Amino acid sequence: MTSPRPVLVVGASGYVGSRVARGLAAGGHAVLAAARHPLPDAGDGVVPVGYERAATLPDAVRDVCARDGLPLPGAVVASIGGWHKGAALLDEDPDRWTATLASHLTAHLDVARALAPLLGPGDPYVVLNGAASREPMAGSGAICVTGAGLAMLVQVLRLEAEQAPSGAVRFHELVIDHAVAGDDRNADPAQTRTTAQVVTALRGVLDDAAAPPVTHV
Ligand SMILES: NC(=O)c1ccc[n+]([C@@H]2O[C@H](COP(=O)([O-])OP(=O)(O)OC[C@H]3O[C@@H](n4cnc5c(N)ncnc54)[C@H](OP(=O)(O)O)[C@@H]3O)[C@@H](O)[C@H]2O)c1
């Protein structure tokens, strides 16, 4: 039986986040879908949570839960970032490099800092990552570097949580090793993963307190 406490998906305006939110809702989870951009069609059973920046996200979540009579979330899925191909690292626009560090790495830390205090001991916090975190890709250097950094970020968050005296959130990384089917931004991918495969893997991590720190799908 799924928990009555909602799963909070952050980055729910994105390609993967929007589909994950709908997929979890279709499987019976209550779902809160947080994004800074509007969600015109969140999907059945998905409750949108608009917010402006990480620091205001907890209050936005509390307000929506109070309005709709929902309990506070019992799990977080961070689907923040994405993939693009552009210039070689040595030629990359410095501003774009800085922006990618902010959106693909620092944003994860900011959101984790904001949301972990909403969760209780043993509650799952799952960070989505991609193949670029493990495989060097020409033209996607900033995504590779931030993805690799994100993998380590999750490991450190997990270790520090395990050392917390009061027991804490369990942090996990779910690595989607291939393009998600239907995302046209991936030109001619060798393999794809369906949204259903991603959601099944995610449910495995959310629902199993003994799930490994890193899962690949
Ligand atoms: N798409 C694929 O084929 C694919 C394949 C493998 C792995 N993945 C992984 O899936 C995850 C999501 O990728 P995606 O393709 O869905 O990316 P996406 O379509 O670009 O969506 C990412 C979302 O992240 C949010 N975001 C961006 N900057 C942010 C910031 N500074 N603070 C908070 N939120 C921010 C945005 O939502 P708001 O601006 O509205 O808040 C955006 O909708 C990534 O970890 C990626 O590596 C994707």
Side-chain angles (χ1 to χ4, degrees):
M1 199 179 84
T2 56
S3 166
R5 294 162 71 211
V7 179
L8 173 59
V9 179
V10 187
S13 58
Y15 189 85
V16 175
S18 58
R19 285 160 178 78
V20 156
R22 285 191 209 111
L24 289 172
H29 284 276
V31 177
L32 297 170
R36 299 168 308 166
H37 293 89
L39 303 178
D41 178 20
D44 286 346
V46 177
V47 179
V49 179
Y51 76 104
E52 289 181 4
R53 54 200 167 80
T56 62
L57 180 52
D59 278 345
V61 171
R62 286 190 195 95
D63 289 350
V64 167
C65 288
R67 182 198 69 197
D68 289 6
L70 291 167
L72 288 173
V76 171
V77 176
S79 183
I80 297 169
W83 186 72
H84 60 252
K85 193 164 179 176
L89 265 186
L90 292 180
D91 301 324
E92 172 135 83
D93 175 358
D95 290 341
R96 180 152 194 174
W97 166 266
T98 303
T100 305
L101 288 182
S103 59
H104 287 57
L105 189 55
T106 307
H108 275 281
L109 179 57
D110 291 344
V111 168
R113 279 185 173 142
L115 295 181
L118 285 186
L119 299 176
D123 286 343
Y125 188 114
V126 186
V127 173
L128 303 190
N129 209 343
S133 63
R134 268 72 179 176
E135 179 190 342
M137 295 181 182
S140 298
I143 309 292
C144 293
V145 171
T146 53
L150 180 59
M152 180 55 75
L153 178 75
V154 179
Q155 287 191 54
V156 175
L157 289 172
R158 184 180 174 93
L159 178 66
E160 292 177 347
E162 285 169 353
Q163 292 175 350
S166 53
V169 174
R170 54 181 174 95
F171 286 92
H172 298 267
E173 184 193 17
L174 176 62
V175 189
I176 307 169
D177 283 326
H178 300 281
V180 175
D183 186 351
D184 296 335
R185 296 171 300 181
N186 302 297
D188 199 19
Q191 283 193 53
T192 58
R193 292 291 177 264
T194 63
T195 301
Q197 286 174 307
V198 173
V199 171
T200 298
L202 184 53
R203 290 188 66 162
V205 177
L206 291 172
D207 296 344
D208 179 5
V214 182
T215 300
H216 290 259
V217 62

